[in-house]
């Protein structure tokens, strides 16, 4: 389990390339992705954030904007990134672990 550090006040994110059994870029046509951060490691725990999760070619990308992140008052949560097949069934956990907000201290503008 690897922590994700979510930089607050910065528009940024993470990307995971997905490969097939032969090590080639996977065909993710029709697939979607989802990412939520919760207070505890349970689907019934309080939802802290829903991060934008998209697929570009064979890469799953999770993003957040500076504006979204500045509203976060939480410091630590649990998260995963799911790959969902064209039928709407979650099939792959791309990543899971803790999500740590790296609080911004500099006031800009």
């Amino acid at each position: 389990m690897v922590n994700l550090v979510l930089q607050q006040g910065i528009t940024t994110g993470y990307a995971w390339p997905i490969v097939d059994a032969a090590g080639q870029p996977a065909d993710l046509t029709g697939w979607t992705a989802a990412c939520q951060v919760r207070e505890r490691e349970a689907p019934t725990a309080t939802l802290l954030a829903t991060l934008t999760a998209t697929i570009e070619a064979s890469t799953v990308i999770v993003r957040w904007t500076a504006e979204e992140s500045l509203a976060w008052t939480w410091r630590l949560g649990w998260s995963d990134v799911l790959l969902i097949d064209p039928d709407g069934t979650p099939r792959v956990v791309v990543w899971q672990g803790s999500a740590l907000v790296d609080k911004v201290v500099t006031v800009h503008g």
Side-chain angles (χ1 to χ4, degrees):
M1 179 165 50
V2 176
N3 295 341
L4 282 190
V5 176
L6 309 179
Q7 293 180 316
Q8 189 180 48
I10 305 293
T11 297
T12 191
Y14 287 94
W16 294 268
I18 308 298
V19 297
D20 62 19
Q24 298 300 309
D27 179 4
L28 298 178
T29 302
W31 290 66
T32 58
C35 179
Q36 294 180 332
V37 181
R38 294 191 177 268
E39 192 173 66
R40 295 180 287 105
E41 194 173 10
T44 57
T46 300
L47 179 65
L48 300 174
T50 298
L51 303 180
T52 300
T54 60
I55 296 174
E56 295 178 16
S58 62
T59 302
V60 176
I61 300 171
V62 172
R63 301 180 168 99
W64 59 92
T65 67
E67 294 76 22
E68 288 170 326
S69 69
L70 288 172
W72 297 340
T73 57
W74 52 277
R75 174 94 171 124
L76 179 65
W78 296 96
S79 183
D80 54 24
V81 178
L82 299 180
L83 195 53
I84 303 161
D85 74 17
D87 294 327
T89 304
R91 293 288 179 188
V92 177
V93 176
V94 176
W95 171 86
Q96 67 182 13
S98 62
L100 176 67
V101 176
D102 185 11
K103 297 284 187 177
V104 67
V105 295
T106 300
V107 177
H108 176 71

